[in-house]
Amino acid sequence: SKSLSRKVTLTNVTDKPLELSLTTQSSPGLAIQVPENVTVPPRSSTIIKIDVQVSMSATDLYAAELNARIKLS
């Protein structure tokens, strides 16, 4: 398996705090971890960490497309 982390900046351009719930969807063999909830203050930015782990269980496959989606609501 292979792991990596990335930081993403969320920016709130409004005058009110932005409270977000984060959910993920991903292909088998791909795991995405994000914070469950994030609050971005008014006219400010917040950095979140995204952890990704790829673990292909079918070693007989030479290539596979892995897709993931992070939903902010």
Side-chain angles (χ1 to χ4, degrees):
S1 73
K2 173 103 175 154
S3 298
L4 63 98
S5 295
R6 293 290 185 262
K7 293 181 181 176
V8 174
T9 302
L10 304 176
T11 302
N12 180 359
V13 297
T14 70
D15 293 325
K16 296 181 181 179
L18 186 58
E19 295 182 12
L20 301 169
S21 296
L22 286 74
T23 56
T24 64
Q25 289 180 306
S26 60
S27 302
L30 181 64
I32 308 290
Q33 292 186 353
V34 295
E36 286 186 27
N37 299 296
V38 175
T39 300
V40 185
R43 304 260 175 220
S44 186
S45 295
T46 298
I47 297 173
I48 63 167
K49 182 181 172 191
I50 300 173
D51 293 316
V52 179
Q53 182 165 4
V54 179
S55 59
M56 298 299 293
S57 58
T59 57
D60 59 336
L61 296 176
Y62 292 105
E65 182 175 328
L66 301 175
N67 296 302
R69 196 175 299 162
I70 299 172
K71 181 180 178 184
L72 307 169
S73 57

